[in-house]
Amino acid sequence: CAQVPWDASVENVDYMKWLADMANKLRMTDTKVIFRPHPKARLNPIPGLDYSTEPLKVDLENASSLVTFNSNSSVEAVIEGIPVVVFDEGAMSWDVASHSLKEPFKMGDREQWINDLAYSQWTLEEMRSGEAWAHLTR
């Protein structure tokens, strides 16, 4: 899963080179690889990889794993029970993901991870009212 090349999480990496390098590594596996661009980015298909513009839900229904630098698509995959490989420590799924194609894909403790994730979700109204800040600082 790709992300928009102007995303802040890819500022410190040559993202297009990372995509090309990762595609080369994935092409060498025995697994069918589908490149999924971010819906708001117009990226050319990567030679040798199938290309999908299906909704994420559809792609995840057929996925055995998801590889990304830091896409939030990895959160959806983990929630669906699909192992992910992420390469940026800032990824929301970092704690429950693998970080290398060389290691066996793992699935961390999803229950604690999703509790931690939910704990940090606040509505705009809860933030405006100060309720979120009051809760987090007590």
Side-chain angles (χ1 to χ4, degrees):
C1 279
Q3 43 208 111
V4 292
W6 56 87
D7 189 290
S9 65
V10 298
E11 289 183 333
N12 298 316
V13 66
D14 183 342
Y15 185 60
M16 299 311 289
K17 181 180 180 325
W18 182 88
L19 279 176
D21 290 347
M22 188 57 53
N24 286 333
K25 290 175 184 174
L26 291 169
R27 261 194 230 98
M28 291 188 273
T29 68
D30 292 332
T31 305
K32 180 178 179 177
V33 179
I34 298 173
F35 176 67
R36 181 183 167 72
H38 189 284
K40 292 186 178 180
R42 300 283 185 244
L43 299 178
N44 292 328
I46 296 177
L49 300 182
D50 288 336
Y51 187 91
S52 176
T53 56
E54 292 288 339
L56 178 61
K57 181 176 178 59
V58 171
D59 283 338
L60 291 179
E61 287 172 359
N62 300 305
S64 61
S65 61
L66 183 142
V67 177
T68 187
F69 186 74
N70 181 344
S71 172
N72 280 332
S73 297
S74 66
V75 171
E76 297 294 327
V78 171
I79 289 170
E80 294 296 326
I82 299 167
V84 300
V85 182
V86 297
F87 291 85
D88 179 39
E89 287 185 47
M92 296 297 293
S93 61
W94 180 263
D95 292 341
V96 290
S98 297
H99 309 113
S100 167
L101 295 176
K102 295 177 183 176
E103 65 185 71
F105 294 175
K106 68 174 185 176
M107 179 72 68
D109 180 358
R110 291 187 310 152
E111 185 173 350
Q112 184 58 56
W113 169 78
I114 201 72
N115 286 338
D116 293 345
L117 196 59
Y119 180 80
S120 62
Q121 302 300 303
W122 297 91
T123 66
L124 191 53
E125 181 53 40
E126 290 168 330
M127 292 171 65
R128 283 186 183 134
S129 73
E131 181 182 349
W133 184 249
H135 178 77
L136 294 170
T137 57
R138 66 178 140 155

